[in-house]
Amino acid sequence: MRKLNALLLLAFSISGLNSHAADTQEILDLDSPTITESIKPSSSQVTVEESTNASEPGVIMTVTPGSENYPGIEFQPTTGTSWDLSNYGHVAVTVTNIGKESMSVSLRVDNAYEAGSSPWNTENTYLKEGQTKTIKVIFGYANGNKPSYKLDPAKITRILVFTGKVKDERKLLIQSLVAGGPSGEKPPVDPSKIKVAPQNGYILGQGIPLDVDKQVKVDGDVHVRPSPEDKHALQIAFSDKGQYAKVSPPQGKWRLIDGNQVVFKVRNMGSSSVSPTIKLDSEKGPTSGSQPKSPIAPGETGEIIVSFIPETPWRGITGSSKTNWDGEKGTGTRFASDKVKNFIVSADAQGGKQVIEIISAKLDAPSIQLPEWVGKRPPVEGDWKLTFEEEFKGDTIDLTKWNIYTENYWDKRTHFSKDNVIIEDGTAILRYEKKRGHHNDDPNGKVTDYASGFLDTYGKWVQRYGYFEARMKLPTAPGVWPALWLMPDRGIDEGPQWKRADTGRGGMEFDIMEYLSGWGPYRYNIAFHWDGYGKDHKQTGTEQIYVAHDEDGYITTGLLWLPGYAAIYNNGRLVAEWETTRISDVPADIMFTHVSGGWANVPLQDEPLPDDFVIDYVRAWQRADLASDVDGVKSTQTTPAAPTTKD
């Protein structure tokens, strides 16, 4: 362990670490006899002592069993209230597991706490017995070097080292705590993680550089080269059936989020008609293979359209005893348009010598015409009656139908405000923007930096079974998370909101349209959640619902909910269905949320904000034989403006 000399100690006492930057610099001298004075254990579960082993100097942190979720220690500045690490790019700690059990170890670097924010960056690792590792937190990044809170390195107030909840004793030797790297340091780029966006929509052709040796792999006796007439086009010569050529991006993966199909222009350079097959493959799975509508004659050019939209709608698992995201085999798709590894061109199944050229491959998203029935009736026959209709006429939201306030269960950075529910031109706009304010416009509410709108019919309108439909335009700002869903509402006699909306006891959360903007506006998630949100929680659904937009840029999505059956339609087309006795039989309200984050989203970015989740209409129908006295307007109920999860 290097010792800080007297001059450095004097400099630190005057100005922290704001000196000429070196490659690394100790933040604290862990060999100092007074080092434990700068360390604060998180609880009585944690003790700290200096190592007495000359060959393993440092500080030993011992964690005994207990109820604390994140036991550990906090390093504090020896002088002043913060360290100035502005000449550096990261903080690093070197640790050794000297206990008898494996353990997780996290390093967290903090700025001063502000209400409504989480001003820290955290990284973690896992140590086996005797293993030594260095954990590095780069300022502004966390959880695997992903963009995170933008720490001010000139105002680091504390540094934490901690583990998780333990049932047996853990011992950790902390050997060094240093600042290092250049100011403004960025994490190293993993080439496999690079996402390549199409240039003007093209992934091949139209001037896109093509490195055949690097980008193309073949099976068997297949020959590839740039086209003699166009170096950006790819010529493929097959000698027989069953052969293929696989074409990848120059690096990383393609990010094809701004469309729902790729159109390949293919020229037949051979002497007989051909029908090659093309499909796209992603990290999660491929599309179906596509062929031209008719064989391409010699010398002619044809199109092969590879759609992301599967031919067979997703169909849910049989039964409901456990979580399963696979769905029934042969239904739906696992293709992930944001992580496309390659496209694969296969020879005509007729065999023989074939020579084709892939002239271009362009991402596309044509608009569609909706079936006549959409918006006018449910998708199936029956004696149906329109029971809920909201066209958002007038200047303000109708508070006899809608609530605009609730608790925010989904992210920690967003507050709901009446100013972000905008009625305009016959639409409701839930606007997401960077605007500091109080949650639910309550002067005593939590203050956060982002505002959004919220709508639900909790306590004002519910229905059990029926068809529920909304026409919506999705936002595109990175990191937002709008959704349309149904939640159980058993009524005021049930008690507090957490009991009324319990997804156990026959209840279910229906995620009709749940969109992470990092996927692009042509893909969303559908899901079913049941048996509560604790240890018995179960779920199924799919993240790969691909859709088209109508000519105005809207999607129209609906849920058909019948006893033992649920089906989701988009633009009049069945996209998902699930048949099981566990389908909810509890009345539900309608909900629209527009928050940030999500389990697989990209980081939120301020620059594109504000951005709008636009709702054109909301309608519901009920079938005569399913109607009951639980359905309909419940505005006479005394429900709180902002229901909470506690009594």
Side-chain angles (χ1 to χ4, degrees):
M1 172 69 66
R2 292 174 294 147
K3 295 284 187 180
L4 297 178
N5 59 39
L7 181 61
L8 277 174
L9 283 171
L10 176 62
F12 290 174
S13 67
I14 296 172
S15 59
L17 292 178
N18 192 13
S19 57
H20 295 292
D23 289 340
T24 61
Q25 181 63 64
E26 285 183 332
I27 297 172
L28 288 171
D29 178 8
L30 301 186
D31 286 348
S32 167
T34 61
I35 184 60
T36 55
E37 297 176 9
S38 299
I39 300 174
K40 178 183 177 182
S42 60
S43 73
S44 59
Q45 276 185 238
V46 183
T47 57
V48 183
E49 60 184 327
E50 294 181 65
S51 172
T52 57
N53 187 341
S55 62
E56 293 183 333
V59 171
I60 296 174
M61 179 182 83
T62 302
V63 181
T64 57
S67 60
E68 189 176 0
N69 288 325
Y70 302 105
I73 59 175
E74 174 185 321
F75 293 100
Q76 301 172 327
T78 54
T79 60
T81 59
S82 64
W83 288 288
D84 181 355
L85 306 183
S86 55
N87 286 335
Y88 299 90
H90 70 256
V91 169
V93 62
T94 299
V95 290
T96 299
N97 180 2
I98 58 174
K100 297 180 179 180
E101 303 287 342
S102 297
M103 66 184 299
S104 64
V105 182
S106 297
L107 170 66
R108 195 178 99 180
V109 183
D110 288 22
N111 283 157
Y113 177 74
E114 295 181 4
S117 66
S118 301
W120 52 71
N121 300 152
T122 306
E123 297 290 355
N124 60 77
T125 190
Y126 191 79
L127 293 176
K128 297 179 180 179
E129 180 184 353
Q131 194 171 19
T132 300
K133 288 185 180 180
T134 297
I135 311 171
K136 181 166 73 173
V137 170
I138 299 175
F139 301 135
Y141 298 86
N143 302 319
N145 287 329
K146 298 176 183 176
S148 184
Y149 181 87
K150 295 180 181 179
L151 275 179
D152 182 350
K155 299 177 181 178
I156 302 302
T157 57
R158 60 180 188 167
I159 299 169
L160 290 78
V161 176
F162 56 91
T163 186
K165 191 172 185 179
V166 301
K167 295 181 179 179
D168 302 290
E169 184 181 85
R170 302 290 192 276
K171 277 186 175 289
L172 186 72
L173 173 67
I174 304 172
Q175 297 168 273
S176 69
L177 180 65
V178 302
S183 176
E185 180 179 5
K186 304 291 184 183
V189 177
D190 181 351
S192 67
K193 301 296 184 182
I194 293 173
K195 304 287 184 67
V196 181
Q199 297 182 30
N200 298 317
Y202 287 92
I203 61 174
L204 183 72
Q206 295 295 307
I208 306 298
L210 174 65
D211 185 337
V212 170
D213 292 335
K214 182 178 180 180
Q215 292 180 243
V216 185
K217 294 182 179 180
V218 300
D219 171 64
D221 187 18
V222 179
H223 300 275
V224 294
R225 64 173 182 171
S227 167
E229 297 180 4
D230 180 0
K231 65 180 181 179
H232 302 110
L234 177 65
Q235 188 175 101
I236 309 172
F238 300 105
S239 60
D240 207 345
K241 61 185 178 182
Q243 299 173 338
Y244 63 84
K246 186 180 295 185
V247 184
S248 302
Q251 57 180 342
K253 297 174 180 66
W254 282 304
R255 189 167 184 253
L256 307 183
I257 67 169
D258 294 318
N260 56 24
Q261 63 181 33
V262 174
V263 179
F264 292 83
K265 285 192 175 180
V266 181
R267 180 183 295 122
N268 183 0
M269 307 299 292
S271 57
S272 59
S273 295
V274 293
S275 291
T277 300
I278 303 180
K279 67 179 178 180
L280 294 159
D281 196 12
S282 75
E283 249 184 28
K284 292 193 173 183
T287 64
S288 298
S290 298
Q291 295 179 308
K293 290 183 178 179
S294 59
I296 305 171
E300 297 296 319
T301 298
E303 283 188 348
I304 299 178
I305 299 175
V306 180
S307 176
F308 307 167
I309 302 173
E311 293 180 2
T312 304
W314 177 89
R315 188 173 299 119
I317 55 176
T318 301
S320 56
S321 61
K322 62 181 180 179
T323 288
N324 190 324
W325 288 96
D326 291 334
E328 187 176 307
K329 187 175 181 180
T331 69
T333 181
R334 294 186 63 82
F335 176 72
S337 57
D338 58 329
K339 301 174 182 178
V340 180
K341 298 189 298 184
N342 51 57
F343 67 82
I344 303 168
V345 185
S346 300
D348 191 312
Q350 298 301 315
K353 187 175 181 180
Q354 306 154 47
V355 181
I356 61 172
E357 286 185 354
I358 309 296
I359 300 171
S360 65
K362 185 180 183 182
L363 183 64
D364 193 24
S367 61
I368 61 165
Q369 289 292 118
L370 275 61
E372 184 274 338
W373 64 264
V374 173
K376 299 177 182 178
R377 62 170 178 82
V380 294
E381 296 298 323
D383 183 8
W384 294 96
K385 178 182 178 181
L386 186 67
T387 53
F388 185 91
E389 185 174 22
E390 176 61 274
E391 307 295 330
F392 301 111
K393 303 299 183 184
D395 299 322
T396 58
I397 196 70
D398 183 352
L399 294 178
T400 68
K401 294 180 179 178
W402 300 101
N403 302 301
I404 60 172
Y405 297 136
T406 192
E407 293 301 316
N408 182 349
Y409 306 107
W410 306 283
D411 70 6
K412 296 180 180 179
R413 61 161 65 100
T414 307
H415 62 274
F416 298 146
S417 172
K418 64 182 187 308
D419 297 332
N420 291 73
V421 181
I422 302 162
I423 305 302
E424 184 177 280
D425 298 328
T427 65
I429 297 170
L430 304 186
R431 176 160 294 164
Y432 197 93
E433 62 181 323
K434 188 167 187 182
K435 182 178 70 174
R436 195 164 178 81
H438 294 272
H439 187 58
N440 292 336
D441 298 317
D442 180 350
N444 298 314
K446 180 180 178 182
V447 176
T448 63
D449 289 329
Y450 296 89
S452 188
F454 167 84
L455 289 174
D456 80 353
T457 66
Y458 173 81
K460 296 184 176 179
W461 185 91
V462 299
Q463 185 167 293
R464 179 178 61 191
Y465 308 131
Y467 182 66
F468 305 78
E469 184 179 271
R471 184 172 185 252
M472 301 161 287
K473 183 179 289 186
L474 302 176
T476 57
V480 294
W481 179 18
L484 160 63
W485 40 327
L486 301 188
M487 281 293 289
D489 184 359
R490 294 173 174 83
I492 193 169
D493 293 339
E494 186 71 17
Q497 190 264 357
W498 64 270
K499 288 185 177 180
R500 290 174 60 170
D502 180 14
T503 59
R505 299 181 291 135
M508 179 171 282
E509 173 188 326
F510 294 97
D511 295 329
I512 305 171
M513 189 290 300
E514 189 174 12
Y515 162 68
L516 305 184
S517 60
W519 292 338
Y522 300 94
R523 172 187 169 191
Y524 62 79
N525 175 74
I526 63 99
F528 307 90
H529 298 262
W530 67 100
D531 289 356
Y533 298 107
K535 62 182 179 61
D536 296 324
H537 173 231
K538 302 175 185 66
Q539 55 190 323
T540 191
T542 173
E543 297 178 348
Q544 285 86 27
I545 297 293
Y546 290 97
V547 298
H549 295 177
D550 65 25
E551 58 187 4
D552 298 318
Y554 285 82
I555 62 171
T556 302
T557 299
L559 167 70
L560 177 64
W561 173 21
L562 304 174
Y565 180 79
I568 294 174
Y569 289 78
N570 189 271
N571 298 330
R573 178 180 179 271
L574 178 68
V575 295
E577 61 181 338
W578 188 30
E579 186 171 3
T580 172
T581 56
R582 183 54 184 82
I583 294 295
S584 177
D585 60 4
V586 175
D589 61 88
I590 302 169
M591 183 183 299
F592 292 91
T593 51
H594 187 194
V595 291
S596 67
W599 64 96
N601 211 348
V602 295
L604 181 68
Q605 295 182 19
D606 293 347
E607 292 77 11
L609 299 177
D611 205 356
D612 297 339
F613 179 26
V614 183
I615 308 160
D616 181 42
Y617 70 74
V618 187
R619 296 173 189 153
W621 289 261
Q622 181 63 290
R623 205 173 72 189
D625 62 314
L626 298 176
S628 69
D629 58 5
V630 302
D631 300 340
V633 175
K634 303 297 179 186
S635 57
T636 56
Q637 296 188 36
T638 306
T639 54
T644 63
T645 57
K646 295 182 180 179
D647 197 352

